[in-house]
């Protein structure tokens, strides 16, 4: 993603070799920017940001508990709890969403 390449020039970590082309740099999963002399032009992107969310679709739930688990027990395991609808897990894992 473009925002992952917004790295301050002095904070760039080299990701290539001298003379690497923009195409080769990007193929390696790195960012390429020649606008600042004296710093790496091929550099590592910022890590992707991700957050945990409880899925809205009841049919996308992946069971994290057992029949009769309480909300407190479920949340202690680090999972989501929603006691509805019938026929799907009420204690279920988070989904990871990239920001």
């Amino acid at each position: 993603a473009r925002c992952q390449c917004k790295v301050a020039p002095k904070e760039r970590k080299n990701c290539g070799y001298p003379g690497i082309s923009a195409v080769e740099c990007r193929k390696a999963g790195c960012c390429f920017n020649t606008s600042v002399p004296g710093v790496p032009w091929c550099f590592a992107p910022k890590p992707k940001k991700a957050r945990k969310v409880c899925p809205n679709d009841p049919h996308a739930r992946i069971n994290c508990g057992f029949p009769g688990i309480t909300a407190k027990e479920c949340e202690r395991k680090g999972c989501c709890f929603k006691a509805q609808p019938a026929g799907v897990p009420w204690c279920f894992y988070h989904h990871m969403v990239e920001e």
Side-chain angles (χ1 to χ4, degrees):
R2 218 181 221 136
C3 60
Q4 287 179 260
C5 289
K6 289 187 178 171
V7 178
K10 66 180 183 293
E11 292 173 13
R12 291 180 183 176
K13 292 190 179 33
N14 200 355
C15 194
Y17 51 86
I20 191 170
S21 71
V23 171
E24 286 300 313
C25 177
R26 290 189 182 109
K27 260 193 217 171
C30 303
C31 303
F32 192 82
N33 182 325
T34 60
S35 66
V36 182
V39 297
W41 289 353
C42 181
F43 53 95
K46 289 181 187 176
K48 288 182 179 178
K49 288 184 180 173
R51 61 186 169 93
K52 288 197 240 181
V53 296
C54 295
N56 288 328
D57 178 4
H59 300 287
R61 295 176 182 175
I62 298 168
N63 198 354
C64 180
F66 51 85
I69 192 170
T70 66
K72 196 171 264 182
E73 289 171 315
C74 177
E75 288 162 3
R76 223 179 276 138
K77 290 179 72 169
C79 296
C80 305
F81 186 87
K82 191 167 188 179
Q84 58 180 321
V88 296
W90 289 359
C91 179
F92 49 96
Y93 289 100
H94 291 91
H95 283 228
M96 294 303 286
V97 177
E98 285 184 12
E99 296 179 326

